[in-house]
């Protein structure tokens, strides 16, 4: 399985040369490729990228609004996500519905959606992704993963939310009384330690990373992660990762 981090920027105004485009990752296996998320920055770029399929984590603008002009390939999302983007001009034959915890083979790559806490209006999932002998869990926006132990079981890499390093971005939804937003990188490293996952790659970078001194942040994270028996690195636009 080969991963290419097409974009690694969160839903923020600032950007730099390492984090220019909205978070999206290409998963390639054999001669097929699946693009995870297609935010505003990718609008009208799908033709050139030409993935075999697009898989959406949740219908926020930085993850799904690049589909506003339609899609040349099948798009996969949970029903609750489709409900929010049903007006997009995507042909009905290209609208594919994924079930929570229903593993589905997409272009030869297995995707299993796990429900995550992140937003009330934009119901979100993370994906356990398997191809060949490699497995990862991918969730760019998250407060909490439902069924985390099963999601993380035997994975090579956890790819998580870089919106904030050590101060959670949380808000309590009045109606559901649920905390929504983004947990910290530090908390996600603790998840990795608890589940025996030895490697985290950070994407969906927030202002703390994009406006900060990334070398210093990386160094601090690396040290902190090491103490937890995990390696951590911040992904950047164009970064590639091959897993076997
Ligand atoms: Zn986002
Ligand atoms: Zn979001």
């Amino acid at each position: 399985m080969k991963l290419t981090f097409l974009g690694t920027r969160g839903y923020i105004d600032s950007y730099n040369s390492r984090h220019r485009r909205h978070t999206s990752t290409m998963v390639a296996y054999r001669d097929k490729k699946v693009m995870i998320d297609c935010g505003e920055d990718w609008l009208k770029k799908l033709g050139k990228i030409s993935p075999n399929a697009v898989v959406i984590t949740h219908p926020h603008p930085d993850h799904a609004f690049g589909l506003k002009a339609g899609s040349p390939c099948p798009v996969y999302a949970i029903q609750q996500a489709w409900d929010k983007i049903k007006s997009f001009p995507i042909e009905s034959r290209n609208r594919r519905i994924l079930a929570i915890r229903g593993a589905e083979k997409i272009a030869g790559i297995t995707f299993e959606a796990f429900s995550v806490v992140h937003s009330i209006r934009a119901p979100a999932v993370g994906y356990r992704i398997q191809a060949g002998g490699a497995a990862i869990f991918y969730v760019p926006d998250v407060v909490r993963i439902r069924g985390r132990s099963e999601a993380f079981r035997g994975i090579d890499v956890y790819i998580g939310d870089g919106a904030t390093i050590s101060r959670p971005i949380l808000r309590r939804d009045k109606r559901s009384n649920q905390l929504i937003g983004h947990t910290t990188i530090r908390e996600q490293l603790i998840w990795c330690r608890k589940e025996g996952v030895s490697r985290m790659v950070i994407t969906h970078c927030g202002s703390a990373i994009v406006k900060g001194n990334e070398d210093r942040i990386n160094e601090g994270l690396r040290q902190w992660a090491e103490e937890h028996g995990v390696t951590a690195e911040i992904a950047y636009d164009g970064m590639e990762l091959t897993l076997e």
Side-chain angles (χ1 to χ4, degrees):
M1 182 196 298
K2 184 178 152 198
L3 305 175
T4 306
F5 293 84
L6 302 173
T8 56
R9 181 167 71 99
Y11 200 34
I12 52 174
D13 290 330
S14 35
Y15 62 87
N16 62 32
S17 59
R18 288 170 68 83
H19 311 289
R20 186 169 294 275
R21 303 261 184 236
H22 284 149
T23 300
S24 173
T25 301
M26 190 75 89
V27 187
Y29 182 61
R30 296 203 165 133
D31 56 347
K32 299 281 188 350
K33 51 184 186 177
V34 176
M35 183 179 178
I36 313 174
D37 284 339
C38 184
E40 278 168 339
D41 283 348
W42 302 101
L43 188 64
K44 293 182 181 158
K45 294 192 172 74
L46 268 181
K48 205 174 160 200
I49 299 167
S50 71
N52 295 95
V54 173
V55 175
I56 298 296
T57 59
H58 64 297
H60 271 155
D62 57 324
H63 298 267
F65 283 20
L67 298 168
K68 266 185 168 169
S71 169
C73 65
V75 177
Y76 291 79
I78 57 168
Q79 182 62 57
Q80 296 95 309
W82 274 118
D83 292 344
K84 305 291 175 184
I85 58 170
K86 57 177 178 253
S87 64
F88 292 3
I90 300 166
E91 291 170 60
S92 54
R93 68 183 169 92
N94 278 338
R95 295 176 182 235
R96 310 284 171 88
I97 299 162
L98 290 173
I100 302 272
R101 299 303 305 276
E104 180 116 8
K105 225 171 203 177
I106 302 170
I109 302 164
T110 303
F111 284 76
E112 182 179 355
F114 282 73
S115 168
V116 304
V117 176
H118 165 56
S119 159
I120 303 294
R121 266 193 241 157
V125 297
Y127 291 103
R128 184 185 164 88
I129 302 166
Q130 274 175 284
I136 64 168
F137 191 81
Y138 183 93
V139 64
D141 297 47
V142 65
V143 174
R144 187 164 60 79
I145 301 166
R146 297 188 173 104
R148 188 183 72 209
S149 295
E150 285 155 281
F152 280 29
R153 188 166 298 148
I155 56 172
D156 300 286
V157 186
Y158 167 64
I159 299 169
D161 186 350
T164 176
I165 298 168
S166 49
R167 210 177 325 152
I169 302 174
L170 294 175
R171 187 168 68 73
R172 192 170 289 282
D173 175 65
K174 287 203 186 82
R175 251 192 329 182
S176 65
N177 198 35
Q178 190 161 68
L179 283 173
I180 54 176
H182 304 266
T183 190
T184 62
I185 294 172
R186 287 189 162 210
E187 174 68 21
Q188 292 168 82
L189 284 167
I190 293 170
W191 296 349
C192 289
R193 186 198 67 206
K194 284 184 178 164
E195 308 295 351
V197 173
S198 61
R199 185 175 188 188
M200 176 176 178
V201 175
I202 295 146
T203 188
H204 197 265
C205 300
S207 305
I209 290 173
V210 175
K211 285 158 103 178
N213 178 333
E214 194 165 328
D215 286 339
R216 205 179 303 158
I217 293 166
N218 241 325
E219 193 44 46
L221 273 176
R222 210 173 293 151
Q223 275 183 21
W224 201 83
E226 224 168 76
E227 288 165 23
H228 287 71
V230 183
T231 64
E233 65 194 291
I234 300 170
Y236 52 86
D237 295 17
M239 182 175 117
E240 294 178 346
L241 192 62
T242 303
L243 304 168
E244 279 160 33

PDB file of all heavy atoms in Angstrom, residues 58 60 62-63 118-119 122 141 182 204, ligand 2:
ATOM      1  N   HIS A  58     -16.314  12.912   6.160  1.00  0.00           N
ATOM      2  CA  HIS A  58     -17.467  13.676   6.675  1.00  0.00           C
ATOM      3  C   HIS A  58     -17.695  14.892   5.786  1.00  0.00           C
ATOM      4  O   HIS A  58     -16.786  15.347   5.089  1.00  0.00           O
ATOM      5  CB  HIS A  58     -17.288  14.057   8.146  1.00  0.00           C
ATOM      6  CG  HIS A  58     -16.146  14.996   8.435  1.00  0.00           C
ATOM      7  ND1 HIS A  58     -14.825  14.667   8.199  1.00  0.00           N
ATOM      8  CD2 HIS A  58     -16.139  16.252   8.941  1.00  0.00           C
ATOM      9  CE1 HIS A  58     -14.051  15.686   8.565  1.00  0.00           C
ATOM     10  NE2 HIS A  58     -14.827  16.664   9.008  1.00  0.00           N
ATOM     11  N   HIS A  60     -17.848  18.126   5.899  1.00  0.00           N
ATOM     12  CA  HIS A  60     -17.397  19.497   6.114  1.00  0.00           C
ATOM     13  C   HIS A  60     -16.756  20.020   4.819  1.00  0.00           C
ATOM     14  O   HIS A  60     -16.241  19.236   4.019  1.00  0.00           O
ATOM     15  CB  HIS A  60     -16.382  19.561   7.261  1.00  0.00           C
ATOM     16  CG  HIS A  60     -17.011  19.770   8.610  1.00  0.00           C
ATOM     17  ND1 HIS A  60     -16.412  19.375   9.784  1.00  0.00           N
ATOM     18  CD2 HIS A  60     -18.193  20.355   8.960  1.00  0.00           C
ATOM     19  CE1 HIS A  60     -17.201  19.712  10.804  1.00  0.00           C
ATOM     20  NE2 HIS A  60     -18.291  20.294  10.333  1.00  0.00           N
ATOM     21  N   ASP A  62     -13.944  21.360   4.082  1.00  0.00           N
ATOM     22  CA  ASP A  62     -12.540  20.997   3.804  1.00  0.00           C
ATOM     23  C   ASP A  62     -12.366  19.499   3.525  1.00  0.00           C
ATOM     24  O   ASP A  62     -11.236  19.047   3.305  1.00  0.00           O
ATOM     25  CB  ASP A  62     -11.616  21.441   4.961  1.00  0.00           C
ATOM     26  CG  ASP A  62     -12.013  20.861   6.313  1.00  0.00           C
ATOM     27  OD1 ASP A  62     -13.225  20.720   6.563  1.00  0.00           O
ATOM     28  OD2 ASP A  62     -11.113  20.550   7.115  1.00  0.00           O
ATOM     29  N   HIS A  63     -13.469  18.757   3.521  1.00  0.00           N
ATOM     30  CA  HIS A  63     -13.383  17.311   3.257  1.00  0.00           C
ATOM     31  C   HIS A  63     -14.261  16.844   2.098  1.00  0.00           C
ATOM     32  O   HIS A  63     -14.022  15.784   1.540  1.00  0.00           O
ATOM     33  CB  HIS A  63     -13.743  16.517   4.513  1.00  0.00           C
ATOM     34  CG  HIS A  63     -12.790  16.784   5.632  1.00  0.00           C
ATOM     35  ND1 HIS A  63     -11.680  16.008   5.860  1.00  0.00           N
ATOM     36  CD2 HIS A  63     -12.753  17.785   6.550  1.00  0.00           C
ATOM     37  CE1 HIS A  63     -11.005  16.511   6.890  1.00  0.00           C
ATOM     38  NE2 HIS A  63     -11.623  17.592   7.322  1.00  0.00           N
ATOM     39  N   HIS A 118     -17.071  14.060  16.287  1.00  0.00           N
ATOM     40  CA  HIS A 118     -16.378  15.242  15.749  1.00  0.00           C
ATOM     41  C   HIS A 118     -17.354  16.390  15.559  1.00  0.00           C
ATOM     42  O   HIS A 118     -17.095  17.513  15.977  1.00  0.00           O
ATOM     43  CB  HIS A 118     -15.688  14.912  14.419  1.00  0.00           C
ATOM     44  CG  HIS A 118     -15.267  16.120  13.635  1.00  0.00           C
ATOM     45  ND1 HIS A 118     -14.448  17.090  14.169  1.00  0.00           N
ATOM     46  CD2 HIS A 118     -15.573  16.544  12.377  1.00  0.00           C
ATOM     47  CE1 HIS A 118     -14.264  18.049  13.262  1.00  0.00           C
ATOM     48  NE2 HIS A 118     -14.936  17.754  12.175  1.00  0.00           N
ATOM     49  N   SER A 119     -18.500  16.107  14.921  1.00  0.00           N
ATOM     50  CA  SER A 119     -19.443  17.169  14.593  1.00  0.00           C
ATOM     51  C   SER A 119     -20.846  16.587  14.612  1.00  0.00           C
ATOM     52  O   SER A 119     -21.047  15.428  14.264  1.00  0.00           O
ATOM     53  CB  SER A 119     -19.111  17.710  13.201  1.00  0.00           C
ATOM     54  OG  SER A 119     -20.225  18.372  12.643  1.00  0.00           O
ATOM     55  N   ALA A 122     -22.133  17.404  10.754  1.00  0.00           N
ATOM     56  CA  ALA A 122     -21.401  16.654   9.726  1.00  0.00           C
ATOM     57  C   ALA A 122     -20.921  15.335  10.333  1.00  0.00           C
ATOM     58  O   ALA A 122     -19.773  15.228  10.746  1.00  0.00           O
ATOM     59  CB  ALA A 122     -20.221  17.483   9.213  1.00  0.00           C
ATOM     60  N   ASP A 141     -10.283  14.233  11.431  1.00  0.00           N
ATOM     61  CA  ASP A 141     -10.980  15.125  12.363  1.00  0.00           C
ATOM     62  C   ASP A 141     -11.639  14.252  13.427  1.00  0.00           C
ATOM     63  O   ASP A 141     -12.509  13.442  13.099  1.00  0.00           O
ATOM     64  CB  ASP A 141     -12.099  15.913  11.654  1.00  0.00           C
ATOM     65  CG  ASP A 141     -11.591  16.839  10.554  1.00  0.00           C
ATOM     66  OD1 ASP A 141     -10.765  16.382   9.736  1.00  0.00           O
ATOM     67  OD2 ASP A 141     -12.037  18.003  10.512  1.00  0.00           O
ATOM     68  N   HIS A 182     -12.121  18.863  18.093  1.00  0.00           N
ATOM     69  CA  HIS A 182     -10.872  18.125  17.837  1.00  0.00           C
ATOM     70  C   HIS A 182     -10.150  17.832  19.152  1.00  0.00           C
ATOM     71  O   HIS A 182      -9.938  18.743  19.950  1.00  0.00           O
ATOM     72  CB  HIS A 182      -9.933  18.956  16.950  1.00  0.00           C
ATOM     73  CG  HIS A 182     -10.539  19.374  15.652  1.00  0.00           C
ATOM     74  ND1 HIS A 182     -10.388  18.645  14.499  1.00  0.00           N
ATOM     75  CD2 HIS A 182     -11.320  20.436  15.325  1.00  0.00           C
ATOM     76  CE1 HIS A 182     -11.046  19.246  13.515  1.00  0.00           C
ATOM     77  NE2 HIS A 182     -11.619  20.341  13.991  1.00  0.00           N
ATOM     78  N   HIS A 204      -4.028  16.998   8.615  1.00  0.00           N
ATOM     79  CA  HIS A 204      -5.062  17.975   9.009  1.00  0.00           C
ATOM     80  C   HIS A 204      -4.471  18.986  10.004  1.00  0.00           C
ATOM     81  O   HIS A 204      -5.000  19.207  11.098  1.00  0.00           O
ATOM     82  CB  HIS A 204      -6.265  17.240   9.618  1.00  0.00           C
ATOM     83  CG  HIS A 204      -7.508  18.085   9.675  1.00  0.00           C
ATOM     84  ND1 HIS A 204      -7.866  18.800  10.798  1.00  0.00           N
ATOM     85  CD2 HIS A 204      -8.476  18.316   8.761  1.00  0.00           C
ATOM     86  CE1 HIS A 204      -9.009  19.435  10.568  1.00  0.00           C
ATOM     87  NE2 HIS A 204      -9.402  19.173   9.342  1.00  0.00           N
TER      88      HIS A 204
HETATM   89 ZN1  LIG B   2     -14.466  18.449  10.201  1.00  0.00          ZN
END
